[in-house]
Amino acid sequence: MRRILSVLALAGFSTCLLNAQFGLGKLKDKLDSATNKTKPATDRAQRAAENYTAWTPEEEQAMGEATATKMIAMFGIITEPKLVRYVNLVGQSVAQFAPRQVPYRFGVMDSEIVGAFALPGGFIFITKTALEGMTNEAQLAGALGHEIVHVSDRHLEAAIRGKKNSAWFAEEAKAKFSTNLAPEVLMKRADTFLKEMFNMRLSREKEDDSDERGTLMAAQAGYASSGLLEFLRTLKQASDKPETQRAFGQLLSTHPTFDSRIEHLTPSVAKNGRGGKTLEARFLGAVK
Amino acid sequence: MLHAKIPVVRSFLLGLLVLSALLLAQQDNTKKETPPPEQKQDAPVFKNKVAVKSSNTTKSSTTLGFNGIDPAGKVDEKMLATSPSSKDQEAMKQMSSNQPAAADVKAFLKEGGLNSK
């Protein structure tokens, strides 16, 4: 009888120990997961960017077309010919100085949010509300220059395709992306790509670099180098109002603060010196 | 005597019930007409307006309000689920063909006193 009781007691004690161990294991897992979540998103994106092979021009073009179609479906695009032509001419004036030449195309998104998006293959969107905050052509040139650098350097492609444990990564594991994918599969990939984009923060270095080199390209084209900096100051001022927060949520969740961008860009604008064209009248004639 | 009053009381109670139902329905309608507080907070970001004569705003984005952006400013899940139509495909093709000719870019640069590479 005593033996039986001892065995039962031992079994009970072991069960308690195992439970405690597994319980602690779970707690440790949760703590690890929480620690990972609190690591800056930029660090994860930075690490991820080191592990991908660039798309071929055809693949990049196919993904660009699919994601651009989806963006148009989501937000709508302005088709006013004069405005579209003007934005494309300003964009081309800057893009001629881009280090990587792709067919850059520019569209105005019919959206209340303030922002711009650089998609693969040279599809670049700027929102109607962002244009409303500008007062001259140099500001538009600087903003488009920032997006051109993202495309030219494949920032988004690198960040999304290299990110492990993402929805994109899981789909790539099933079937590698190629131009031979069925249209519905291609569109599904575009969905995943855009979902990642809307929730992704590129590293501060990449955003600062895009500000700086975008400004430099605009200045090489002959625009005033203060364009983007002026625009960032306008955005900073507008975003301080509580009633306009909704318009800035997406931009601020994926980019560094306006203060930090202004702080980084100011010395480089000073270095480029004054001068350059602002072309206010031409801008107002085409946009407002 | 008491039996004679029963129909009167019954009608009175029925009337009271109908009146209560009407009042409740009216109260419900008043609630529905009140706009959500978040919409009151949204205001135009800038005073200037872009001269837009035509746009291709999709039906789904219009019904979502503020172009499918949630109160925190993030793109709404419903917006992300929007399926492109043939009209959207056409608009993308139009965007693809928006690249101006080299001669037009050259003239634009010259007009603004800008630089060619």
Side-chain angles (χ1 to χ4, degrees):
Chain A
M1 185 67 182
R2 271 186 191 172
R3 264 186 202 169
I4 294 168
L5 280 174
S6 306
V7 169
L8 282 174
L10 194 66
F13 184 60
S14 309
T15 314
C16 285
L17 269 179
L18 282 169
N19 267 338
Q21 196 181 356
F22 281 123
L24 283 175
K26 277 179 193 168
L27 185 65
K28 189 179 175 295
D29 287 348
K30 279 184 183 172
L31 278 172
D32 285 346
S33 156
T35 313
N36 282 335
K37 277 179 190 167
T38 51
K39 278 181 187 172
T42 49
D43 287 356
R44 293 199 295 274
Q46 188 74 40
R47 285 200 311 274
E50 291 159 8
N51 183 25
Y52 86 106
T53 308
W55 277 323
T56 64
E58 293 77 21
E59 288 168 346
E60 189 184 358
Q61 181 65 23
M63 181 47 71
E65 287 182 3
T67 46
T69 305
K70 174 85 179 179
M71 289 286 277
I72 291 168
M74 287 166 69
F75 297 98
I77 189 166
I78 289 174
T79 52
E80 170 67 42
K82 187 179 152 198
L83 178 64
V84 172
R85 181 177 156 77
Y86 174 73
V87 171
N88 272 276
L89 283 166
V90 176
Q92 294 302 334
S93 303
V94 182
Q96 60 175 329
F97 294 97
R100 187 168 75 99
Q101 286 300 314
V102 295
Y104 291 98
R105 289 146 288 195
F106 304 85
V108 181
M109 252 167 60
D110 194 0
S111 175
E112 304 296 324
I113 62 172
V114 176
F117 300 91
L119 301 180
F123 287 88
I124 292 174
F125 290 92
I126 187 155
T127 67
K128 177 187 72 177
T129 309
L131 278 180
E132 287 168 355
M134 295 174 181
T135 53
N136 64 47
E137 196 171 303
Q139 294 175 6
L140 175 59
L144 295 180
H146 174 102
E147 299 306 322
I148 291 166
V149 174
H150 281 323
V151 173
S152 181
D153 287 16
R154 301 173 183 268
H155 284 163
L156 201 60
E157 183 194 337
I160 292 175
R161 294 187 60 214
K163 192 172 136 191
K164 293 263 173 80
N165 304 320
S166 66
W168 176 271
F169 200 80
E171 282 179 21
E172 280 278 77
K174 280 184 215 161
K176 195 184 171 298
F177 176 77
S178 82
T179 49
N180 296 326
L181 289 175
E184 62 274 13
V185 180
L186 183 60
M187 199 45 77
K188 193 169 179 294
R189 292 291 171 95
D191 281 4
T192 310
F193 194 87
L194 288 181
K195 276 179 195 166
E196 297 276 357
M197 181 185 85
F198 285 123
N199 292 301
M200 174 165 278
R201 183 184 273 267
L202 291 173
S203 69
R204 184 183 163 164
E205 289 72 28
K206 282 183 178 166
E207 292 297 349
D208 283 344
D209 185 47
S210 299
D211 281 343
E212 206 171 326
R213 284 168 54 214
T215 290
L216 183 65
M217 284 195 294
Q220 283 176 309
Y223 288 108
S225 61
S226 58
L228 180 58
L229 184 62
E230 277 175 16
F231 183 52
L232 288 173
R233 284 180 180 144
T234 304
L235 296 185
K236 156 90 182 92
Q237 207 175 2
S239 68
D240 282 343
K241 298 172 194 163
E243 67 271 22
T244 59
Q245 289 294 306
R246 198 172 184 180
F248 289 96
Q250 185 65 44
L251 182 64
L252 289 173
S253 72
T254 53
H255 286 72
T257 62
F258 293 127
D259 278 334
S260 104
R261 292 175 69 182
I262 290 166
E263 191 187 336
H264 178 86
L265 192 55
T266 303
S268 122
V269 169
K271 203 167 80 183
N272 279 321
R274 289 177 180 229
K277 310 279 183 187
T278 55
L279 300 172
E280 187 179 352
R282 186 159 78 170
F283 175 83
L284 294 174
V287 173
K288 310 280 166 150
Chain B
M1 180 75 178
L2 201 64
H3 280 285
K5 281 190 176 173
I6 285 174
V8 179
V9 173
R10 198 180 281 167
S11 320
F12 177 73
L13 284 173
L14 196 68
L16 204 66
L17 200 69
V18 170
L19 194 69
S20 311
L22 279 172
L23 280 170
L24 274 172
Q26 198 179 2
Q27 200 177 11
D28 197 36
N29 275 344
T30 320
K31 272 182 193 167
K32 275 178 192 168
E33 280 163 16
T34 314
E38 71 202 33
Q39 285 182 357
K40 278 184 185 172
Q41 292 171 355
D42 298 327
V45 183
F46 304 110
K47 283 176 189 169
N48 292 324
K49 289 284 155 212
V50 168
V52 182
K53 284 176 193 157
S54 57
S55 77
N56 171 33
T57 304
T58 56
K59 195 181 170 187
S60 51
S61 61
T62 309
T63 51
L64 283 164
F66 211 81
N67 261 2
I69 304 300
D70 71 18
K74 296 286 284 178
V75 177
D76 199 294
E77 279 294 319
K78 285 177 193 167
M79 176 73 119
L80 282 165
T82 309
S83 295
S85 64
S86 55
K87 198 179 162 191
D88 301 319
Q89 289 274 2
E90 205 50 50
M92 182 278 294
K93 282 180 188 159
Q94 181 60 48
M95 184 181 169
S96 284
S97 63
N98 280 344
Q99 272 189 296
D104 291 343
V105 178
K106 203 174 170 186
F108 183 79
L109 290 168
K110 194 178 172 190
E111 182 198 71
L114 298 168
N115 310 322
S116 301
K117 194 174 180 184

